[in-house]
Amino acid sequence: MKPADVFIAVLVAVIWGLAFVASRIALDELSPALMTALRFGIAAAPCLVVAKPKVSWSLLVAISFTLFLGQFLAQAYGIAHGVPVGLTSVIVQSQALFTIAFAVVAFREWPTPMQMVGVTIAAIGLLMICATVGYDFSVGAFAVLMVSPISFAIGNLLLRRAQGVPMFDLFAWLCLTAAVPLFALALASDGPAPTWHALTHMSLTGLACMLALGAISTSIAYWLWGRLLRDYPAAQVVPFALLVPFVGAAASSVVFSEKFGPLRLAGMVTVVGGIAVMLLSKRPRTVPVIVE
């Protein structure tokens, strides 16, 4: 990769890591549904000037509801209900484990031996983290948070079907498709008056966090990441995502004084190590489907 593109890849990872901190701050003023809706509402602004990409509405909705709505709403709920920000950033990246598992079912892409080693290591790390659940946050919050990497993984696979369309246009319309039902959910769950009050009484800090989440972390960062995936093999780009949980955990420890017990810290490191083995191994071999 060119040095400038390496810098961009690192920058995107740092932006995504810091986004977990911004989400936690914004959730002090907004409900999970409203915060997520506002995030995608801001990121959908380019839809005013870019046309809908040439993909079917059914595919657009399917990608949006998994890659964006499901992933980020579950994240917001988990953080709002006490799951530490640093831990959340690690759990979300376990999507690599689920992506490999779902690819076996959907595309018969069997993992290589090294990828199986990585899956095993990451799974052990998740079990170690599960053993710490219930002390400082509820089992229910953790269960909802686990929807995030699962939705992320499904969205990754669905995204393969949107080939040959402008990446920026696609992500803008994915954001719009997620924002509309999320605003409806916020109105239904929070009520019109509380929703309006939260939006009109947002502090400058909350507004800055939402602009950073919508315009920078979602719109710009995803566009840059898409360009990198377009210009380079995924094996060169995707490993940079390993920086995200480290940035998220480090930033959370500084901003919120977040600390991790020995078992949870060991589990987090184990998950990231397993993901590293998965991402740095060779591509899985695709087994053709035999039609009798």
Side-chain angles (χ1 to χ4, degrees):
M1 293 177 66
K2 298 177 181 178
D5 289 331
V6 170
F7 173 78
I8 290 174
V10 172
L11 178 63
V12 169
V14 170
I15 289 172
W16 282 344
L18 294 177
F20 286 94
V21 173
S23 296
R24 175 64 186 83
I25 296 173
L27 284 167
D28 287 338
E29 303 181 30
L30 305 171
S31 69
L34 183 56
M35 190 273 282
T36 312
L38 193 56
R39 173 181 191 153
F40 290 121
I42 293 170
C47 291
L48 296 172
V49 294
V50 298
K52 174 182 170 293
K54 294 182 179 179
V55 296
S56 66
W57 275 107
S58 59
L59 179 58
L60 196 70
V61 169
I63 297 173
S64 178
F65 277 34
T66 51
L67 189 64
F68 281 166
L69 190 153
Q71 179 198 166
F72 287 98
L73 182 58
Q75 275 185 44
Y77 182 91
I79 294 173
H81 287 78
V83 182
V85 172
L87 178 60
T88 300
S89 66
V90 174
I91 294 299
V92 171
Q93 288 306 314
S94 70
Q95 56 85 16
L97 186 159
F98 295 103
T99 300
I100 289 177
F102 295 156
V104 172
V105 178
F107 301 111
R108 296 180 62 85
E109 290 184 353
W110 296 95
T112 64
M114 281 304 296
Q115 284 181 321
M116 282 304 301
V117 170
V119 168
T120 303
I121 293 172
I124 291 172
L126 282 176
L127 290 175
M128 294 167 68
I129 292 172
C130 287
T132 70
V133 173
Y135 294 97
D136 51 349
F137 58 89
S138 69
V139 174
F142 183 77
V144 173
L145 176 61
M146 286 304 301
V147 173
S148 181
I150 294 172
S151 292
F152 197 166
I154 296 172
N156 283 340
L157 299 181
L158 289 172
L159 195 57
R160 293 187 184 185
R161 298 177 58 188
Q163 298 292 330
V165 297
M167 195 63 62
F168 184 81
D169 299 11
L170 175 63
F171 279 117
W173 279 82
L174 288 174
C175 290
L176 179 62
T177 308
V180 173
L182 281 167
F183 274 116
L185 176 62
L187 287 171
S189 59
D190 302 340
T195 298
W196 178 251
H197 183 273
L199 290 174
T200 55
H201 290 76
M202 197 184 312
S203 68
L204 289 177
T205 300
L207 180 59
C209 286
M210 289 313 310
L211 290 174
L213 287 169
I216 300 175
S217 177
T218 305
S219 185
I220 296 175
Y222 267 96
W223 170 58
L224 291 173
W225 191 255
R227 287 186 58 189
L228 292 174
L229 288 173
R230 180 196 64 190
D231 297 339
Y232 298 96
Q236 286 185 271
V237 178
V238 175
F240 284 97
L242 290 172
L243 296 173
V244 174
F246 288 107
V247 174
S252 180
S253 66
V254 172
V255 178
F256 306 118
S257 299
E258 182 179 341
K259 299 185 184 302
F260 309 99
L263 181 58
R264 183 174 295 176
L265 182 60
M268 292 168 65
V269 172
T270 303
V271 169
V272 175
I275 294 170
V277 172
M278 283 186 273
L279 295 181
L280 297 176
S281 60
K282 294 181 179 179
R283 291 173 59 86
R285 49 194 171 85
T286 303
V287 178
V289 178
I290 300 176
V291 180
E292 296 182 355

